[in-house]
Amino acid sequence: MSIRFTAKARRGMVALTIAAGLAVGVAGCSGGGDDKKPQTPASASRTGGSDPSTQEGESDEPIAELKGSSGLLLQITSATRDAGGFVTVNGNLKNDGSKRITIPPAVRGDETEILRHGMSLGGATLVDAASKKRYYVLRDTDGRPLTTTGFSSLQPGESLAIFVQFPAPPTKTTEVTFQLPTFASAPIQISG
């Protein structure tokens, strides 16, 4: 019992450290800067703040496309390594079919901690074949996955901007395989 508690406490401290690092990073990004460029407002998101913002220099052209069940298509537009020790994968989940699609619950994965927090992309993983390691979605101090949450279905042609954050592989690792339950796997390049 004490080993389990220690492991939970350690995971909580890691998540707290990452969350604190993210808060400091966001605070550092919000002030100062080049006044010559006008700021554009972020678009409203369907998931109440869980969507990524498009970063400067980021392309909407997919670096990978993963086909899922019933006409779902996941287009990955970037995988960026951040100084805080994590990788953020951005993309779009699209209904390429002609009927409304309910997102399969399997995309949440099967970890009890993630399942408690509702619909998410918590089942996603990054696989570093060279180092023989698998990276799981990061979580905050309450165990919520650091990924887009709160979605359930997509209408025909509808698209949802998504993000998923993982611990960063070693800096020498630039190619990993992105996996999401019910979708095909795809190799992606990590930039930054």
Side-chain angles (χ1 to χ4, degrees):
M1 184 92 165
S2 66
I3 292 172
R4 180 178 240 189
F5 176 76
T6 303
K8 274 189 164 185
R10 198 172 312 148
R11 281 194 312 257
M13 288 304 297
V14 168
L16 178 61
T17 302
I18 291 170
L22 288 172
V24 169
V26 169
C29 291
S30 64
D34 188 5
D35 292 330
K36 295 176 187 171
K37 238 187 244 183
Q39 296 290 328
T40 56
S43 62
S45 71
R46 245 179 59 159
T47 59
S50 292
D51 286 342
S53 60
T54 302
Q55 299 201 1
E56 191 172 320
E58 212 175 82
S59 170
D60 283 339
E61 282 297 311
I63 59 172
E65 287 190 349
L66 293 73
K67 292 191 185 275
S69 59
S70 307
L72 283 174
L73 179 66
L74 177 59
Q75 298 174 317
I76 298 175
T77 54
S78 69
T80 309
R81 183 186 309 271
D82 294 310
F86 57 92
V87 169
T88 302
V89 175
N90 291 298
N92 295 296
L93 183 60
K94 183 179 181 183
N95 178 350
D96 244 6
S98 60
K99 296 181 180 178
R100 180 181 157 273
I101 298 175
T102 299
I103 310 298
V107 299
R108 297 184 300 172
D110 58 5
E111 292 185 43
T112 306
E113 188 71 24
I114 289 179
L115 293 175
R116 287 186 354 188
H117 297 288
M119 195 58 165
S120 72
L121 299 176
T125 58
L126 290 182
V127 177
D128 176 1
S131 299
K132 298 181 180 172
K133 292 192 176 190
R134 179 183 303 264
Y135 298 90
Y136 294 90
V137 175
L138 289 170
R139 293 161 194 130
D140 68 12
T141 55
D142 293 326
R144 286 186 292 267
L146 298 180
T147 179
T148 305
T149 60
F151 52 89
S152 60
S153 65
L154 293 173
Q155 296 297 331
E158 186 178 9
S159 186
L160 173 69
I162 62 98
F163 80 99
V164 188
Q165 290 187 325
F166 301 94
T171 53
K172 68 179 187 242
T173 301
T174 58
E175 183 172 292
V176 292
T177 301
F178 182 87
Q179 297 178 331
L180 182 65
T182 75
F183 284 80
S185 301
I188 59 173
Q189 293 289 326
I190 298 175
S191 61

